[in-house]
Amino acid sequence: MSSSTASPTAPHKPGAAGDSADASANISNFKLDNGLEVVVIPDARTPVVTHMVWYKNGSADDPIGKSGIAHFLEHLMFKGTKNHPQGEFSDLVAELGGQENAFTSYDYTAYFQRIGKEHLETLMAFEADRMANLLLTDEVVSPERDVVLEERRMRTDNDPSAQLDEAVQAALFAHHPYGTPIIGWLHEIETLNREDALDYYRRFYTPENATLIVAGDVEAEDVLRLAKETYGKIPARAEPPRRNRTKEPPHRAHRLVSLSDEKVEQPAHERVFLVPSYKTAAPGEAEALETLAHMLGGGATSALYETLVVEEKFAVGAGAYYLGSAVDDTRLWVYATPAPDVSLEELDRAIDGVIRGFIEQPIDEDHLRRAKTRLVADAIYAQDSQASLARWYGEALATGLTIEDVAAWPERMEAVTAADVTAAARKWLDKRRAVTGFLLPADEEA
């Protein structure tokens, strides 16, 4: 069974850390004749491998009127092929002591397994078969559409905070497809059918539109040989699909979205700024935004937490983060939960004050140094997770970055200056570029 829709608010660093020369030297990168990119990340600490296939399509590539089709197809990819009936692949992974799952985000869809290294060839054969031979019938598609509809009802339609976030995203991206939820709009999911799924499958699930990531106790030569024997047999169908997405026009007016609901017990505040991603930013700008977000709201020593929670007692929680991995312009979140008897309007003004401090006052060099050290250290520690390594590289390549970009990320972070952070705050944390969301109990109005 699938499946997890990737959270649009789960931030991932764009690179694994460590010495960039060593990182890039140890990673092997090939391209098969059919266009499939293969990346091998050695990790010999345990005799296991993480095997991931990333397709360069996500919910932002859904055809107009067919929102949710990328996520729906992710579900359907577990329904069997011409050569293997439904459940055989998943049952085999479980019998062999492995794990599997899949996720859909705005810019990519990925499938992964983690298993003993001796079973890598078996995984590759099954996944290659799924890339080329998916078998769908109406008897399979219709019930699975009901599963997706129920997933949407449970995760969004019955959750006021998710409804608010969906409305904020739609307001922030009025023209760009990032404004459409990954799972899709309910009324459009209801119309998705077998032909929609197969059309999408034929267009995007091709070797020239995919990246294979293998991380673990493997040799690059062995992975390349196995990739040629399995994925290499799939013929390229055409040139890789081009992402012809509409662009978001310049934002000149702040927007406020408020939602009140009887299920809400604790009011909440969120503000989302439209900012460049690692792909669209000028050199050094994304790293400055990453640092700025951490200094603003990356833990108990951040400016938002110290000011709003510790000093002024306006909030019981506050934070910020930057969603840097994206093909197009992306988001920087600021959020807070008000203290009792503090209105969201008062909290909003207090947040304005903290942001204004980054724009108007000199950056504290000690705070900057701690932020950069923590960001790089977190990435170094995360190298202990083989799956995190595979995901970092897969996500970067799926959003238009390179292996070199990933390996050099720590050095670029170290190069961020106080002037860079101030410039990023002045340029991008303009409230006119943002949408603010108020979540309120049913008996209150913004």
Side-chain angles (χ1 to χ4, degrees):
M1 181 61 188
S2 167
S3 105
S4 62
T5 306
S7 167
T9 60
H12 296 286
K13 298 297 181 293
D19 181 83
S20 63
D22 290 345
S24 59
N26 290 336
I27 294 172
S28 300
N29 182 217
F30 317 100
K31 183 163 282 191
L32 303 188
D33 291 341
N34 59 10
L36 178 73
E37 186 169 11
V38 182
V39 177
V40 183
I41 306 170
D43 177 16
R45 289 171 297 181
T46 56
V48 299
V49 293
T50 297
H51 170 268
M52 304 188 79
V53 175
W54 296 72
Y55 294 98
K56 296 177 183 178
N57 63 279
S59 64
D61 303 297
D62 291 348
I64 295 175
K66 300 293 182 180
S67 66
I69 187 63
H71 172 251
F72 184 33
L73 182 57
E74 177 216 313
H75 277 242
L76 295 174
M77 287 288 285
F78 289 79
K79 299 304 177 182
T81 69
K82 297 175 183 178
N83 301 313
H84 300 288
Q86 178 178 343
E88 182 179 344
F89 189 8
S90 296
D91 290 344
L92 179 64
V93 171
E95 288 172 8
L96 296 175
Q99 301 168 320
E100 68 162 347
N101 214 322
F103 50 87
T104 305
S105 191
Y106 292 106
D107 295 310
Y108 48 77
T109 308
Y111 301 82
F112 69 91
Q113 302 86 28
R114 180 171 166 84
I115 204 166
K117 67 177 185 178
E118 66 273 18
H119 303 302
L120 177 60
E121 182 176 4
T122 300
L123 294 183
M124 294 173 80
F126 268 88
E127 196 67 80
D129 176 60
R130 184 157 63 172
M131 181 183 289
N133 298 306
L134 183 65
L135 184 63
L136 297 179
T137 65
D138 289 333
E139 289 74 20
V140 166
V141 171
S142 295
E144 197 61 32
R145 183 178 57 234
D146 292 337
V147 170
V148 175
L149 288 167
E150 183 60 23
E151 180 183 339
R152 182 187 160 86
R153 293 186 185 101
M154 292 296 294
R155 292 187 178 183
T156 304
D157 298 340
N158 292 331
D159 182 349
S161 63
Q163 292 175 37
L164 176 67
D165 188 65
E166 190 173 85
V168 168
Q169 298 295 312
L172 185 70
F173 293 103
H175 198 52
H176 188 280
Y178 286 165
T180 299
I182 293 171
I183 198 169
W185 300 113
L186 181 67
H187 66 285
E188 293 184 350
I189 299 171
E190 290 174 335
T191 71
L192 299 178
N193 57 39
R194 173 178 173 272
E195 286 306 313
D196 294 329
L198 288 174
D199 287 346
Y200 198 84
Y201 174 75
R202 296 184 190 109
R203 180 186 177 194
F204 289 111
Y205 281 61
T206 65
E208 65 273 15
N209 194 49
T211 301
L212 169 66
I213 308 283
V214 178
D217 188 13
V218 293
E219 297 294 332
E221 295 79 5
D222 294 334
V223 174
L224 178 58
R225 174 181 57 81
L226 292 175
K228 288 179 177 179
E229 293 174 356
T230 52
Y231 295 99
K233 295 179 180 179
I234 304 171
R237 299 183 198 172
E239 289 295 315
R242 293 186 178 183
R243 285 166 156 163
N244 297 316
R245 297 172 177 176
T246 55
K247 300 299 182 184
E248 194 66 19
H251 288 189
R252 299 187 175 92
H254 172 249
R255 286 134 291 168
L256 173 64
V257 177
S258 64
L259 174 68
S260 59
D261 192 283
E262 60 185 10
K263 301 186 190 73
V264 176
E265 298 180 358
Q266 172 66 62
H269 177 290
E270 68 173 297
R271 186 185 300 173
V272 188
F273 293 89
L274 181 65
V275 299
S277 67
Y278 276 90
K279 175 63 176 174
T280 64
E285 202 164 42
E287 291 80 8
L289 284 166
E290 189 91 60
T291 307
L292 171 61
H294 189 80
M295 293 177 72
L296 260 178
T301 61
S302 66
L304 282 167
Y305 194 92
E306 284 194 339
T307 302
L308 302 182
V309 179
V310 178
E311 297 173 6
E312 298 179 352
K313 312 297 184 185
F314 276 160
V316 295
Y321 57 88
Y322 169 55
L323 190 67
S325 296
V327 169
D328 299 310
D329 285 350
T330 185
R331 291 129 287 187
L332 189 153
W333 268 267
V334 174
Y335 58 90
T337 302
D341 301 322
V342 174
S343 71
L344 290 177
E345 290 84 0
E346 291 173 310
L347 183 58
D348 190 66
R349 290 191 292 270
I351 290 172
D352 287 341
V354 175
I355 292 173
R356 190 162 53 247
F358 277 83
I359 295 172
E360 298 177 352
Q361 300 171 12
I363 296 294
D364 182 273
E365 289 288 350
D366 286 339
H367 191 185
L368 173 63
R369 177 181 49 78
R370 290 196 305 270
K372 293 194 297 181
T373 299
R374 178 60 183 270
L375 286 166
V376 173
D378 284 349
I380 291 173
Y381 297 146
Q383 287 190 92
D384 289 337
S385 169
Q386 189 183 97
S388 292
L389 281 172
R391 178 157 182 164
W392 273 336
Y393 280 90
E395 188 175 68
L397 293 170
T399 54
L401 302 182
T402 66
I403 290 175
E404 292 72 25
D405 291 329
V406 176
W409 181 80
E411 294 178 4
R412 298 199 310 272
M413 287 300 300
E414 293 288 2
V416 173
T417 66
D420 295 332
V421 175
T422 298
R426 288 175 177 170
K427 184 175 182 179
W428 299 113
L429 298 193
D430 184 335
K431 200 171 183 178
R432 292 171 297 181
R433 299 184 57 83
V435 177
T436 299
F438 284 0
L439 184 64
L440 296 155
D443 58 349
E444 296 185 27
E445 293 183 5

